[in-house]
DNA sequence: GTCGTTGCAAAGCGTTTGCAGCCTA
DNA sequence: TAGGCTGCAAACGCTTTGCAACGAC
């Protein structure tokens, strides 16, 4: 169980080198540079398996397709660039969200998302609109 | 433009009376008590129009279908119950999220989601597992 | 009567599954 | 060589669109 295939190795390597959460199609595109015949279904199946084995972490975004990131980081949140659609890691966390929880509710988990422009898009955006 | 149809009136009334963000199917189910022949497509078309006219607000949730709420409230966030899948409003906001923004990024907007058990489910959950 | 609106069914789109052949261990 | 893995295509669930009939103004 869990064989070392060319496809799985490539998918892992792409995610490892990305440095940021990737979407299934981003992963497919990157892997196809090395494996042109790779299918999307294979990407999804491997992502599912890698999440199950806790090697990957799913980043569910509001109003956007899920991204996948290597699960070797601690608790953190994400910044979603509105312009290039890229997702970036934020090391910090506002903390103390229990204070926001209304009485009677049981808080188990939380998510914080920041939206705006990443450094690259900020530059292009600024210079373009000025 | 923007006629007053029985369908549109019912959809608005259901959303107004809900007191919490509703999903398209929740809206359909509620409206069908009064209009059994109402179609999902009509619900979607009206939601789109009501959002465009800024009467409604879309609540995009991570990993769940979007909900819709009447757009007469100020800035707030949401609590998503893992058990009944219901979404509830949270009046508060942690604030100062600019402090989390990494250098070089331009923060335009943010979202905070709390997950856990709503009062009803907390009770059922507790008593069920004990 | 006009033309925005509706219900139904079909089309889209991202994700999942079935299946025969492939390839790792 | 066995059984997990792959590519392809079909199936799926949610959302959108096409179209002819309907009904608000």
């Amino acid at each position: 169980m869990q064989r070392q295939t060319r496809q799985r190795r490539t998918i892992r390597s792409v995610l490892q080198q990305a440095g940021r959460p990737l979407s299934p199609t981003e992963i497919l595109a990157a892997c196809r540079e090395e494996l042109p015949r790779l299918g999307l279904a294979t990407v999804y199946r491997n992502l599912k398996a890698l999440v199950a084995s806790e090697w990957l972490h799913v980043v569910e975004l509001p109003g956007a397709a899920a991204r996948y990131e290597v699960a070797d980081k601690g608790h953190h949140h994400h910044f979603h660039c509105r312009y290039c659609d890229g997702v970036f890691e934020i090391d910090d966390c506002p903390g103390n969200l229990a204070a926001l929880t209304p009485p009677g509710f049981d808080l188990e988990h939380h998510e914080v998302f920041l939206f705006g422009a990443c450094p690259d898009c900020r530059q292009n955006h600024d210079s373009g609109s000025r």
Side-chain angles (χ1 to χ4, degrees), chain A:
Chain A
M1 196 189 276
Q2 277 302 76
R3 288 181 184 172
Q4 192 73 330
T5 65
R6 208 155 145 49
Q7 290 83 343
R8 185 163 297 154
R9 207 178 311 122
T10 307
I11 290 171
R12 299 223 291 195
S13 142
V14 160
L15 280 155
Q16 198 105 64
Q17 284 167 35
R20 63 182 191 85
L22 298 180
S23 68
T25 28
E26 283 177 319
I27 296 165
L28 180 68
C31 289
R32 275 192 169 163
E33 289 184 19
E34 191 178 327
L35 295 171
R37 303 211 59 79
L38 180 64
L40 231 199
T42 300
V43 173
Y44 276 106
R45 275 187 286 234
N46 275 289
L47 291 177
K48 203 171 182 179
L50 290 168
V51 168
S53 73
E54 299 190 306
W55 190 85
L56 269 186
H57 215 240
V58 191
V59 183
E60 311 254 35
L61 297 160
R67 312 299 161 103
Y68 295 81
E69 68 184 356
V70 180
D72 56 3
K73 292 137 189 159
H75 177 74
H76 64 275
H77 298 296
H78 297 92
F79 189 105
H80 187 176
C81 178
R82 295 201 322 174
Y83 306 97
C84 68
D85 207 37
V87 175
F88 305 87
E89 197 181 313
I90 293 168
D91 289 328
D92 234 328
C93 171
N96 195 30
L97 291 165
L100 304 190
T101 312
F105 285 78
D106 185 27
L107 180 64
E108 298 177 358
H109 181 55
H110 71 267
E111 284 293 353
V112 175
F113 298 97
L114 304 186
F115 303 92
C118 71
D120 281 1
C121 292
R122 185 187 193 177
Q123 200 151 39
N124 301 337
H125 204 57
D126 278 1
S127 44
S129 64
R130 196 171 289 155

